[in-house]
Amino acid sequence: MQHIQQLFSKALQGHDKGYDTAYFRSRIPELNQFSVSDAFIERSRAALLEYLRQADICSGCQGFHACGKQGDMQGFTQVLEPYKGQLNVSVQRCRPYIDHLAKKRVDRYASLAGMIELDESFQFENYPQEQSKKYPKLMRYAMEFAMGFQPDDQTPTTSGVYLFGPPGVGKTHLMLAVFNRLRERGVPCLVVRSDSLFDRMRHLIADSQDLEPFLDTLSTVPVLGIDEFAQERANDFTLEKLFRIVNHRFHANLPTWFTSNYAPPDAYRRRGEDVNDSVYPLRSRIMKMCMMAHLEGSDARQRHLRSLT
């Protein structure tokens, strides 16, 4: 943290004579909030002008990739703070830069996580009309989430969704439509298939590779989707790792979307018994952190079967 008068060179002095104290008080509410004197504003006009210039650049932000700031100020924003009756200015990493780093990490481990390559053909616009009309509340929530979610958002639309029902009723299509829209908006997100998730864990272990980057990425990505949940063959070790991922996301309030042929109470049950001691607390967290959505209907994949006979 530096004193506001020491931030900028003397070369800036002399170019700020047309700005009086009323101008700065109208443009920078903190000056009134912190009861800064007119004399201090007069002494700090050059620095305050630079603060406003930086703020104007940030107001038109189009993301870190298009940051309009120069040199070391890229990825930073300025914050005015009171200090011993005056003001200090500190710099901190801006939200777009933090999101940029998160996206880089997600991209780096996308193949490691067995990420589904999102097919851009899965959109809200071509989602089956009969399902859209049958489940208007679900469609409204999915679209609001896809268009409105922001990392660190704490609004009611941050809950994930557990989509379950028989094959071919549009579960994966709807989830991919949500994630395609999030990706278009620059929100870091990942979609993994449940079988790929477990296979990747086994391969990493077999190759004596570090499992931590893989687990950390899935645990912390702002939005995670798990397709075909509970439809793979899992063992004690991989289920415990899955619990770790879900448990972290549960406590961090990070939205997670699931698709599954199984209702939550039936996930990871074989012959009426849970396949692992961690299954019950896993299901409990999922049901708490997600909105439930049961989809029914005919298998859309079988409507246009081709025959050679």
Side-chain angles (χ1 to χ4, degrees):
M1 183 179 293
Q2 298 172 288
H3 192 284
I4 194 169
Q5 291 177 291
Q6 299 172 336
L7 287 178
F8 307 101
S9 68
K10 293 182 179 179
L12 288 173
Q13 303 295 335
H15 298 285
D16 56 358
K17 301 300 184 182
Y19 302 94
D20 58 14
T21 57
Y23 170 82
F24 289 112
R25 290 189 183 280
S26 66
R27 292 288 309 277
I28 308 176
E30 294 95 329
L31 297 176
N32 299 320
Q33 179 183 348
F34 299 137
S35 302
V36 174
S37 68
D38 286 351
F40 178 82
I41 295 175
E42 287 289 339
R43 295 194 305 270
S44 308
R45 281 184 297 173
L48 293 173
L49 281 172
E50 180 62 13
Y51 173 81
L52 288 172
R53 188 179 76 84
Q54 296 284 340
D56 286 342
I57 294 173
C58 289
S59 68
C61 180
Q62 298 296 317
F64 176 72
H65 68 283
C67 182
K69 295 188 175 183
Q70 301 298 316
D72 293 341
M73 282 305 296
Q74 286 194 333
F76 283 97
T77 187
Q78 295 178 338
V79 179
L80 292 178
E81 299 174 328
Y83 181 72
K84 294 183 178 180
Q86 299 189 56
L87 278 182
N88 281 352
V89 64
S90 62
V91 293
Q92 62 185 29
R93 286 297 186 183
C94 62
R95 182 77 254 172
Y97 178 79
I98 295 172
D99 292 343
H100 168 75
L101 289 184
K103 185 177 185 303
K104 283 184 64 177
R105 183 178 63 184
V106 168
D107 291 343
R108 180 182 177 188
Y109 291 111
S111 60
L112 179 67
M115 187 188 81
I116 293 175
E117 189 61 37
L118 294 184
D119 187 338
E120 294 183 0
S121 66
F122 290 101
Q123 301 289 341
F124 287 111
E125 290 76 12
N126 61 6
Y127 190 70
Q129 285 294 316
E130 60 185 87
Q131 296 297 76
S132 295
K133 293 178 181 179
K134 188 185 296 184
Y135 304 107
K137 184 177 179 181
L138 169 62
M139 295 302 299
R140 184 168 56 252
Y141 182 86
M143 294 185 72
E144 288 176 354
F145 183 96
M147 295 301 299
F149 175 80
Q150 295 289 348
D152 298 327
D153 193 355
Q154 299 296 320
T155 67
T157 58
T158 59
S159 293
V161 176
Y162 188 98
L163 301 159
F164 67 100
V169 295
K171 303 185 299 295
T172 297
H173 186 149
L174 181 57
M175 184 171 75
L176 292 184
V178 170
F179 279 73
N180 273 321
R181 194 61 55 87
L182 291 172
R183 186 79 59 83
E184 291 170 7
R185 294 178 47 235
V187 177
C189 56
L190 273 178
V191 178
V192 296
R193 287 190 304 270
S194 189
D195 56 350
S196 296
L197 178 69
F198 286 93
D199 285 345
R200 196 58 190 169
M201 286 187 195
R202 296 185 185 102
H203 291 157
L204 288 171
I205 295 167
D207 294 340
S208 300
Q209 295 185 42
D210 186 7
L211 204 58
E212 287 307 306
F214 169 76
L215 296 174
D216 182 63
T217 298
L218 296 177
S219 298
T220 60
V221 63
V223 192
L224 176 67
I226 300 180
D227 193 35
E228 300 179 352
F229 179 74
Q231 291 167 227
E232 77 299 322
R233 184 173 296 177
N235 59 33
D236 290 351
F237 178 81
T238 51
L239 276 173
E240 288 169 4
K241 297 304 182 185
L242 177 61
F243 175 79
R244 171 179 162 181
I245 293 167
V246 170
N247 188 53
H248 183 279
R249 300 187 67 81
F250 172 76
H251 289 289
N253 194 30
L254 294 173
T256 310
W257 288 61
F258 300 84
T259 72
S260 182
N261 290 349
Y262 296 96
D266 300 325
Y268 295 119
R269 289 180 68 83
R270 302 292 184 268
R271 300 182 183 86
E273 298 290 336
D274 291 345
V275 300
N276 180 279
D277 290 341
S278 66
V279 168
Y280 178 79
L282 174 68
R283 285 198 306 258
S284 176
R285 282 159 175 76
I286 289 173
M287 288 189 283
K288 180 68 174 179
M289 67 196 287
C290 291
M291 308 267 273
M292 300 293 114
H294 183 201
L295 278 65
E296 297 179 319
S298 59
D299 187 345
R301 301 187 187 99
Q302 299 185 24
R303 292 179 186 171
H304 304 288
L305 295 178
R306 296 176 295 173
S307 175
L308 294 174
T309 61

